[in-house]
Amino acid sequence: MDKLRAWEAYRENKLSLPPGYSLEFGTDVLLLRRDLGPMVATFSARGALPSEVSRVAWADYEERHRKPA
C-alpha cells in the first residue's frame, strides 16, 4: 500500500481511517479532519504515506475515545 501516496490511497478507498475522519487536498498539503471539520494534522501532499496518515488518525481517535480511569 505504501507505494501509493496517501491522497491516491484515500481516493481509491485503500486508506484506513477511523469513523468520521477524512482527508482534504489543499495546495500541496493534505488536511486530516475529524467529524464536523476540526483539523487533526497536515501532511505533504506529495510525500505523505498512507501508513503515516492512518497512524496519526487512529492515534487521535483512540485518544479521544479513551475511557477515563
Side-chain angles (χ1 to χ4, degrees), residues 30-42:
L30 295 177
L31 306 174
L32 177 62
R33 294 190 179 273
R34 287 188 211 129
D35 301 348
L36 307 175
M39 189 174 59
V40 175
T42 59

Side-chain angles (χ1 to χ4, degrees), residues 16-19 21 32 53-63:
S16 173
L17 294 178
Y21 284 66
L32 177 62
V53 174
S54 182
R55 180 186 55 76
V56 169
W58 281 102
D60 181 74
Y61 179 84
E62 289 171 5
E63 183 174 318

